[in-house]
Each structure stands twice: as C-alpha cells, then as structure tokens.
C-alpha cells in the first residue's frame, strides 16, 4: 500500500514542481535558477516538518517520499549548475551550489524545529 501513497504524492508533487519553478523563474530576469532553488527549499522545509513531527509511516510515504521526492529535484539542480559552468558562468554555478546546499540544510533544520513545536 505504501507504493500507492508514494505514487499519489508524486502525482501532486511533480506538476507542483513544474508550475512553481516556472512561476518563480519568470519573475527573475537572470540566468540563476531561482525556481529550482525555491522548489528544493520548499521540499526540504516540508520534509523537515514531517521529520520533526514524527508523522506515521503512511503520511511520510505520501508527503515525504512522494510529494517532496517529486517536488524537489537534484537532477535539475545538477543540470542547471553544469549548464552555467559550461556557459562560462562559474561564479553563478558556484553560487547555485552554495545557495542550494545552504538553503536546503537551513530549511530542513527549520522544518524539523517547526515540526517539533507545532506538531510534535
């Protein structure tokens, strides 16, 4: 049954990722991938809240593995970073890596604390 929960969460997370990425990126006139950074930060925050709240395995399968797994995207982050580097924009590529790691860990930690306080 867990696989079905993961599939349902992913069915929501994937289009949400695409729509959020496009909505954010169209508001910035830059090559920096703000949309990818945003969806990854949101995914980390939600995953942190779920972890901090110690939700049951079914909720984690649906929201953690399914929704967050499809919402966040390491492959797009990697591709966009490589593309920036190949275009001679090493500074933006490095900024993408630093921001993604820093923001991801920061929002995950904030989410864990939020989950403990609000739901734990």
């Amino acid at each position: 049954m867990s696989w079905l929960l993961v599939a349902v969460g992913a069915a929501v997370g994937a289009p949400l990722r695409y729509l959020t990425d496009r909505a954010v990126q169209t508001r910035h006139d830059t090559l920096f991938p703000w949309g990818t950074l945003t969806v990854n930060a949101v995914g980390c925050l939600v995953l942190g809240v779920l972890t901090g709240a110690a939700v049951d395995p079914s909720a984690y399968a649906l929201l953690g593995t399914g929704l967050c797994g499809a919402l966040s995207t390491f492959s797009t982050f990697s591709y966009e970073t490589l593309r920036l580097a190949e275009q001679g924009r090493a500074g933006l590529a490095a900024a993408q890596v630093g921001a993604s790691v820093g923001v991801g860990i920061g929002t995950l930690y904030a989410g864990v604390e939020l989950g403990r306080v609000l739901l734990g």
Side-chain angles (χ1 to χ4, degrees), residues 17-111:
R17 181 191 80 73
Y18 176 78
L19 294 171
T20 302
D21 177 72
R22 292 295 85 214
V24 170
Q25 199 61 41
T26 58
R27 287 175 172 71
H28 294 87
D29 188 26
T30 178
L31 292 176
F32 189 84
W34 290 106
T36 300
L37 181 63
T38 301
V39 296
N40 287 343
V42 170
C44 287
L45 180 67
V46 172
L47 195 57
V49 169
L50 295 171
T51 301
V55 297
D56 67 73
S58 294
Y60 195 86
L62 175 70
L63 300 172
T65 304
L67 179 75
C68 291
L71 176 64
S72 59
T73 173
F74 188 77
S75 58
T76 301
F77 154 74
S78 300
Y79 168 76
E80 290 171 344
T81 303
L82 177 64
R83 190 187 68 205
L84 287 169
E86 288 176 342
Q87 293 173 348
R89 302 188 186 285
L92 277 179
Q96 161 72 340
V97 171
S100 292
V101 172
V103 168
I105 291 171
T107 55
L108 181 67
Y109 180 77

